[in-house]
Every structure is written in structure tokens, then in C-alpha cells.
Amino acid sequence: MLVRVVMNQLIRLFFVASAVGILGCGCRTLGFRCEPCPPVHDAWSVSLENHLSNGAEVETWWKGYSDPSLEALISGTKEGNPLFDGAAQRILQLRAERSAANATLYPSLAGFGSATRNRASDNLFFNFRPNPSDQFLIGASTSWELDFVGRIALQLEAADALIESSKESYRDLVVLLFSE
């Protein structure tokens, strides 16, 4: 009789574990996957890192003309336009947001502490605690969200796409401003 009860429990446990495993696999999202674009040589596009370090090649092509008025016009366009600085700052902001999103992949640790000092009235008839009393509390907690369904990985993928989009918007702005 005991063997039969144990066998029934094992069979029930097997079916429950199988159902949970099958349902858990159905929750995994793979996201939208597309073929990566082939790399474009720097001769066809301007490198953004050069712009962010103020050593941009697109900013120096006209110096071959040796025209001081053209140089003053283009440098004034770059320095006097808030769109130019705003686009570069947007890229830096998105990079910081991607770093914050990446931090959720790792465990977090939080610590806390407190100290309290209480003094009861001397007029109490029953006072069982020492007067004054001190209470100290210290602790730590840790948490880690495991990415079973791929939510965090897809957030990182979306953050990377936003960064690339902002880089292309920056490049468009540079071309538009300097071509005018």
C-alpha cells in the first residue's frame, strides 16, 4: 500500500514537472531577428567617434580651399547650433541607459542599518527595560532577476538599436549642417 502511494506521488510529480517545463518553454521569446547589415567602409560613412572627439574628417574637407570666410562660417555653424550638441549628448545618454539596462543582468546587493535610543519616563510604575535603551539594526539583502523569458536580453537589443539610430541621426545632422 505504501509503495503504491509513493509511486502515485512520483508519477504526479513527474507530470507536474513536465507541464511546468513545457509551459516555461512556451514563455521564451526569441524576438525579431533579421540578417545583420554588411559592414560599410569608413570611406562611405563618417566615423562618429571622430565627431565626438572633435577630430572629425567631415569638418576639415573644405580647408583645402584655404578660404577663411568658409572656415569661419562652418565653425560658427558647429559652435552656434544647439542641435549639433544635443544630438551628441543624446548618443551619450542612450549609452548610459544601455549600461543601466545591462546592470539588471547581474545580482544586486543592498545594505541597511539603523540605531535608535529610547528613554522612558521615570514616573512609570512598571519599567522592565533599562532606561535609556539602545536598539541597533543591521542587515543586507540581495536579489537577482534571472532572464528566463528573455525580457532583459530584448531590452538590451532595443537599447543597442536606439544607439545606432541616434548615431545615424547625428551623421545626418552633420551632413545637413555642413552642406548648407
Side-chain angles (χ1 to χ4, degrees):
M1 185 69 173
L2 181 63
V3 172
R4 185 179 174 119
V5 170
V6 170
M7 286 299 289
N8 284 340
Q9 288 179 348
L10 286 175
I11 290 172
R12 191 176 302 146
L13 180 65
F14 173 75
F15 283 121
V16 168
S18 298
V20 168
I22 290 171
L23 290 175
C25 290
C27 293
R28 173 76 177 149
T29 59
L30 298 177
F32 177 70
R33 304 282 187 232
C34 62
E35 292 296 319
C37 297
V40 178
H41 194 269
D42 280 339
W44 294 97
S45 66
V46 179
S47 176
L48 177 68
E49 285 73 22
N50 289 336
H51 289 293
L52 293 177
S53 65
N54 292 329
E57 295 171 6
V58 77
E59 298 174 21
T60 60
W61 64 267
W62 67 87
K63 292 189 178 184
Y65 293 122
S66 300
D67 186 5
S69 63
L70 180 62
E71 288 183 26
L73 183 65
I74 290 186
S75 65
T77 301
K78 179 185 173 192
E79 294 170 7
N81 196 330
L83 292 176
F84 190 81
D85 294 331
Q89 292 301 319
R90 175 75 176 145
I91 294 170
L92 296 176
Q93 175 190 357
L94 288 173
R95 285 180 179 169
E97 288 176 7
R98 195 230 184 259
S99 295
N102 191 33
T104 59
L105 287 173
Y106 304 105
S108 64
L109 176 66
F112 56 90
S114 69
T116 307
R117 183 174 183 98
N118 294 323
R119 180 168 176 84
S121 173
D122 292 331
N123 296 332
L124 291 177
F125 184 69
F126 293 106
N127 192 3
F128 299 111
R129 296 187 333 182
N131 200 11
S133 65
D134 297 327
Q135 181 180 11
F136 301 99
L137 178 65
I138 189 168
S141 67
T142 184
S143 65
W144 191 3
E145 180 181 353
L146 299 176
D147 194 18
F148 287 124
V149 295
R151 181 184 64 87
I152 298 172
L154 290 176
Q155 283 178 342
L156 290 175
E157 205 172 297
D160 289 337
L162 281 174
I163 290 171
E164 291 302 317
S165 172
S166 291
K167 285 180 181 179
E168 291 304 318
S169 296
Y170 178 85
R171 288 185 181 115
D172 289 345
L173 183 65
V174 168
V175 170
L176 283 173
L177 284 177
F178 292 161
S179 67
E180 298 275 331

